[in-house]
Amino acid sequence: MDLEWTDEQRALRDEVVRVATAELNRDLVRRDRQSEFSPEAWKACAALGIQGLPVPEEWGGSGADPPTVALALEALGYGCRDNGLIFSVNAQMWSCELPLVTFGTDEQRRRYLPGLCDGSRVGVQAMTEPDSGSDAYAMATTATRSAGGWALNGVKTFITNAPIADLFVVFARTAAERTIGSISAFLVERDAPGLTVGPPFEKMGLRTSPMAEVVLRDCRVPEKSLLGPMGGGLAAFTTSMDWERSFILASAVGTMQRQLERCVAYASERRQFGQPIGKFQAVSHRIAEMRIRLETARLLLHQQALRKARGLSTPADAAMVKAHLSDCFLRSSLDALQIHGGYGYMVDAELERDVRDAIAGHIYSGTSEIQRNIIAAYLGL
Ligand SMILES: Cc1cc2nc3c(=O)[nH]c(=O)nc-3n(C[C@H](O)[C@H](O)[C@H](O)COP(=O)(O)OP(=O)(O)OC[C@H]3O[C@@H](n4cnc5c(N)ncnc54)[C@H](O)[C@@H]3O)c2cc1C
């Protein structure tokens, strides 16, 4: 695997770290406490080109290749401590922009992608329902033909970005039976009649990333809002999940690098029993494990980026990245807290927030159990 970066890629990484460090962490402890999304930080991310990374230039992005995307997101996680903001950005990129790039008509791409890239629009994907989560294709939401378009009926829950979204990629049943072709994807604008967004949910972590329920009651959308062919929802969803599981935790690699550097510095400075705590093997081995996790996570991420670039990725490859990176991020966040002792447990130290944020990695984009089911299925089990 070639991990040599070009001068251009290095310059991008340095610029993302510089801007993210300077502009994306303002007032974060308070905003996390109050579950407050930052529109300014969202726009700063867009100005930096983050939202546009996977979108071709003709639709407002930079058309970066997957290794460059991984590198930029890793840099974002190193500089930006607001995991909620990064999560919201990723949710839009992989579950709204990517299906539009892959399955949209030119008219749909022209209408939505430039605004999603420049930060003036926010996109979401609405799949999960109160009674269908891991078993996503058991959904109850329906789309039926109605005077020149479609009528959508159902309830979607846990929808990231819903409180601030302009565009919803909604999955609905267009045929009753449970077959590959029974689900379709629709582009639904926020002001579509019959669409309502519930009050924001209060979450354990990723608190700066807003989330709500979306209710569709006889929600009327025009014929041209169908994304991809009728019955093509499964392809749109699996494609977006494949990209999302590959890259949604790329930023966590940067965060783990930052945590490691902070722990090495603290273990060298903090003295107990007459010596730096890093001289105690219980502490130094914990930090060594953090380093091993960082390196294996980074290798898996960049290997997956190369696979995506070469069109060689399977759903099991993406599932492995998601499962491994989320495990590494949570365990290293716990280690960083433990190494800082009582100070690490205090909110102002900004270490406990990473633990709360990292736990979500075992649930969103398919739980860790579902990722392992996918990996096992590819092994014929
Ligand atoms: C932070 C966050 C953001 C999210 N954002 C979005 C979003 O933007 N859009 C969206 O549509 N959804 C979103 N979700 C929803 C998410 O995709 C679901 O929560 C997830 O797929 C799990 O579904 P569930 O919560 O219904 O749990 P369930 O499916 O009810 O699972 C409950 C438990 O049973 C286990 N389980 C279920 N089936 C199996 C099985 N076959 N084998 C082994 N174990 C199993 C699960 O792993 C889990 O531990 C988000 C969730 C979170 C936490």
Side-chain angles (χ1 to χ4, degrees):
M1 183 176 43
D2 181 11
L3 277 179
E4 291 295 312
W5 302 108
T6 63
D7 290 346
E8 206 179 327
Q9 286 170 320
R10 285 175 200 280
L12 173 67
R13 179 181 61 193
D14 293 348
E15 177 66 358
V16 171
V17 170
R18 189 188 66 74
V19 174
T21 308
E23 294 186 26
L24 302 182
N25 300 315
R26 291 192 187 115
D27 209 11
L28 182 52
V29 171
R30 184 197 61 77
R31 287 194 293 105
D32 177 70
R33 189 178 295 131
Q34 296 178 354
S35 298
E36 193 179 297
F37 170 80
S38 167
E40 298 76 31
W42 179 268
K43 293 209 170 76
C45 267
L48 195 50
I50 300 295
Q51 282 92 321
L53 280 168
V55 176
E57 283 179 32
E58 59 184 308
W59 298 306
S62 61
D65 60 12
T68 307
V69 172
L71 187 71
L73 291 176
E74 187 184 327
L76 184 67
Y78 183 79
C80 173
R81 302 193 301 275
D82 186 347
N83 299 315
L85 172 74
I86 297 175
F87 181 72
S88 275
V89 166
N90 270 284
Q92 168 176 300
M93 279 163 67
W94 307 120
S95 64
C96 185
E97 292 172 13
L98 221 287
L100 262 167
V101 169
T102 314
F103 298 98
T105 61
D106 277 355
E107 188 190 339
Q108 290 169 335
R109 292 167 176 148
R110 258 195 310 275
R111 182 173 173 84
Y112 298 116
L113 284 170
L116 293 169
C117 293
D118 72 17
S120 57
R121 279 180 193 262
V122 177
V124 311
Q125 183 177 90
M127 180 66 158
T128 307
E129 300 183 359
D131 293 325
S132 67
S134 300
D135 189 8
Y137 301 118
M139 71 174 58
T141 297
T142 57
T144 47
R145 293 265 184 206
S146 118
W150 298 88
L152 273 56
N153 280 285
V155 176
K156 298 290 182 178
T157 195
F158 303 143
I159 307 306
T160 297
N161 292 349
I164 52 167
D166 306 285
L167 177 66
F168 300 74
V169 175
V170 175
F171 291 89
R173 189 166 287 291
T174 39
E177 68 279 8
R178 191 177 165 141
T179 58
I180 284 182
S182 63
I183 289 168
S184 305
F186 295 87
L187 295 164
V188 184
E189 297 185 11
R190 188 180 191 92
D191 59 3
L195 181 148
T196 47
V197 175
F201 289 144
E202 184 168 5
K203 305 199 293 308
M204 173 188 190
L206 300 175
R207 292 169 64 87
T208 58
S209 168
M211 174 192 269
E213 192 170 78
V214 176
V215 179
L216 304 149
R217 285 277 171 267
D218 211 19
C219 173
R220 301 296 170 121
V221 293
E223 180 67 36
K224 64 183 181 190
S225 62
L226 190 63
L227 176 63
M230 185 169 146
L234 180 78
F237 185 66
T238 52
T239 301
S240 70
M241 279 301 106
D242 210 56
W243 285 91
E244 185 164 296
R245 289 167 185 165
S246 300
F247 294 111
I248 199 160
L249 283 148
S251 63
V253 175
T255 311
M256 286 190 274
Q257 173 80 50
R258 176 161 40 77
Q259 290 170 335
L260 177 70
E261 291 170 9
R262 190 170 165 186
C263 287
V264 169
Y266 189 75
S268 306
E269 283 160 20
R270 173 72 176 172
R271 297 178 72 84
Q272 290 294 287
F273 301 98
Q275 58 178 344
I277 59 169
K279 293 292 172 202
F280 300 115
Q281 199 179 62
V283 174
S284 65
H285 279 195
R286 202 183 275 278
I287 295 176
E289 289 295 332
M290 291 174 75
R291 176 80 200 272
I292 295 169
R293 273 183 228 120
L294 170 65
E295 295 294 330
T296 59
R298 182 177 278 145
L299 278 170
L300 198 55
L301 170 69
H302 291 294
Q303 172 179 275
Q304 178 63 1
L306 285 178
R307 281 191 177 131
K308 291 299 276 182
R310 294 167 184 164
L312 297 175
S313 165
T314 68
D317 294 323
M320 273 188 279
V321 177
K322 165 84 191 339
H324 186 63
L325 268 60
S326 57
D327 281 351
C328 290
F329 185 30
L330 178 55
R331 287 167 63 193
S332 289
S333 299
L334 282 165
D335 281 343
L337 189 154
Q338 186 69 18
I339 286 161
H340 285 75
Y343 173 61
Y345 197 66
M346 299 300 119
V347 170
D348 281 344
E350 299 193 57
L351 290 164
E352 59 80 41
R353 189 182 59 238
D354 281 344
V355 175
R356 290 188 280 109
D357 294 343
I359 287 173
H362 280 181
I363 303 172
Y364 58 67
S365 308
T367 66
S368 293
E369 291 80 8
I370 294 301
Q371 306 309 328
R372 286 176 171 82
N373 286 352
I374 295 168
I375 297 161
Y378 269 75
L379 293 169
L381 301 171

